[in-house]
Amino acid sequence: MWDTLNALHAANKDRKITDLFDENRIDDFGIETDGLFFDFSKTNIDAATYEVLIQLVQEKQVVAKRDAMFSGAKINETEDRAVLHVALRNLDGDAIFVDGEDVMPSVKAVLAKMAGFANAVRSGDFTGQGGKITDVVNIGIGGSDLGPAMAYPALAPFADGPKCHFVSNVDGADLADKLAGLNAETTLVLVASKTFTTMETMMNAKSAFDWMAKKVANPADQFAAISTAEEETAAFGIPAERVFGFEDWVGGRYSMWGPIGLSIMLAVGPENFTDFLRGGQAMDQHFRTAPIEKNMAFALALTGIWHHQVCGYGTRAVLPYENRLLRLAAYLQQLEMESNGKSVSLTGEALDQTVGPIVWGEPGTNGQHAFYQLIHQGRQVVPCEFIVGAEGHEPHLAHHHKALLANCLAQSEALLLGRDYATAEEMMKAKGHEGDALKAHAMQRVFPGNRPSTTLMYQKLTPFVLGQIIALYEHRVFVEGALLGINSYDQWGVELGKELAVKLSPAVEEGGSTEGLHVGTAALVNRAKALRGD
């Protein structure tokens, strides 16, 4: 199928996307589910190409792999684990078995425990040593940070609980800046580390404990843990009733649906958090039951496969026209690039094509005044994924949101239509330019157009809609990984740097030896020591 797809691209790469539009294109290349609408009509995918892409899904047996994931099969083969983040939002579904045991009773028990704790904090039944909890500091990194740190601002209109702050970087500035101005007596600290050994997280946790100890008599009383390491959390002073665990079949970057989402629940309350889970569950149901050609996750994934693997576009821009989704691109960078940034197949063979695209982006309209110049007139083609709501949460500022929506739709249209030289020349003639100056000025205003984009649209950003969006992108990662024959659920690429950091830590201390380090690294260690005055 890859050869067929490559041939289709070669034959049609210069075709105008606008030539594909007829009275049926919006319906044929648009998918709606539970109020979420995905439009991929502004791409160079025609009916014949889409049919071959679907045949690729069938050839790679992706549907069977999807069903295996939902059944609890150990599709994370390199770590011999199931992949069951979907179980965390399986509120109304059937039993799911791992090694012969139904995991749903424990999932629901942990969710109930989270809700009980969240209600106690929000009501004031659980207090700090100076009164009702006003602030929550979530300490984690990677999936233990990016999910809740993205969701918290996204759900700001629903946040009526304590304010949340997120610390991830081992750079002390991150911790210092987040703790500055907080009242330790009314601050709750969440330490999110499955093993309770993550270097950055535990260093930040111990420093936060020291900060708390200077202000209150019993600092551990205002700590909770999101971890499965009972002995380690107990040694830290956190009692079992404030420890929330999750299983190894939940990968870090897929974990915000469970205990890692505790900060979100504390902020918006258990009911809104449940709505978030129900949005994810609704997308799961659509992913499992909708036919491939009208399945949003498959369509999003196949569009990505077409653009990256076939057309050779190296990046994709995620452009939410929703300022509260300002951390979405950062979240998706981990979700997509850590999952599918691979060069080896599941069978251990070197891949013969580039797999994971570079994912990046910023909210509109900010990006328009930053990098859209390159998107519109640069030589490289950047497929754009626009995300926008039909309305905002602020009725008195509805005119702002209408302007936002107009900008979003205008950008996708500008990418599609562009502006030809003749039009630009007429514009410059009207301004009085002629001769060589006319050509020079006109050429600056030519837009090539014919640049692909997709649009994901919803009525208003709610917990349910956020759940839909995140689950949609999770399933996109799964489909792309299954098509490419890789394991989307391990991340060995992050390990080597961690190992070397442990080796380097003694060397950077005062008087530490650089023996055994690479000469280039040793030189930099010595320079850093000299700059410190060691």
Side-chain angles (χ1 to χ4, degrees), residues 6-127:
N6 289 330
L8 284 167
H9 171 60
N12 298 312
K13 64 181 180 180
D14 296 323
R15 175 178 58 191
K16 292 291 186 182
I17 297 172
T18 51
D19 292 343
L20 296 173
F21 278 82
D22 57 23
E23 65 274 12
N24 298 318
R25 183 156 179 85
I26 300 299
D27 291 334
D28 291 344
F29 292 86
I31 299 173
E32 190 274 336
T33 179
D34 295 302
L36 192 66
F37 180 70
F38 177 61
D39 171 32
F40 60 117
S41 64
K42 296 186 180 73
T43 69
N44 205 354
I45 299 174
D46 58 16
T49 301
Y50 197 41
E51 183 178 347
V52 176
L53 286 165
I54 291 172
Q55 289 173 8
L56 180 65
V57 169
Q58 295 164 342
E59 178 185 274
K60 299 296 183 180
Q61 301 180 339
V62 179
V63 170
K65 293 175 183 177
R66 175 200 65 189
D67 294 344
M69 176 180 72
F70 277 93
S71 74
K74 295 183 178 181
I75 66 167
N76 179 353
E77 295 180 20
T78 61
E79 296 179 305
D80 192 33
R81 293 175 181 172
V83 175
L84 277 179
H85 48 280
V86 296
L88 300 180
R89 53 193 188 237
N90 182 36
L91 302 180
D92 305 316
D94 297 330
I96 300 177
F97 292 89
V98 175
D99 294 328
E101 180 180 353
D102 180 9
V103 304
M104 290 312 304
S106 64
V107 166
K108 292 179 178 179
V110 172
L111 184 62
K113 180 179 178 180
M114 290 169 59
F117 182 64
N119 283 329
V121 171
R122 287 165 57 83
S123 68
D125 288 343
F126 176 92
T127 66

Side-chain angles (χ1 to χ4, degrees), residues 109-128 133 135-137 162 187-191 220-226 238-244 259 261-263 265-267 269-270:
V110 172
L111 184 62
K113 180 179 178 180
M114 290 169 59
F117 182 64
N119 283 329
V121 171
R122 287 165 57 83
S123 68
D125 288 343
F126 176 92
T127 66
I133 296 296
D135 295 271
V136 172
V137 176
T187 295
L188 172 68
V189 179
L190 306 180
V191 183
D221 289 353
Q222 289 173 221
F223 275 72
I226 302 164
I238 303 173
E241 61 266 23
R242 293 202 306 277
V243 177
F244 304 85
L262 181 58
S263 58
M265 185 185 281
L266 288 163

Side-chain angles (χ1 to χ4, degrees), residues 34 36 60 89 92 132 138 144 146 203 226 266 287 343 345 395 427 442 485 490 516 528-530:
D34 295 302
L36 192 66
K60 299 296 183 180
R89 53 193 188 237
D92 305 316
K132 188 176 181 180
N138 185 91
S144 299
L146 284 165
M203 184 173 284
I226 302 164
L266 288 163
F287 181 47
S343 59
S345 73
M427 292 172 57
D490 60 16
K529 289 179 177 180

Side-chain angles (χ1 to χ4, degrees), residues 170 175 318 407 484 534:
V170 74
L175 181 67
V318 178
N407 270 273
L484 296 165
D534 290 0

Side-chain angles (χ1 to χ4, degrees), residues 347-363:
T347 57
E349 298 171 348
L351 297 171
D352 59 2
Q353 58 181 320
T354 302
V355 177
I358 297 168
V359 179
W360 58 285
E362 280 287 326

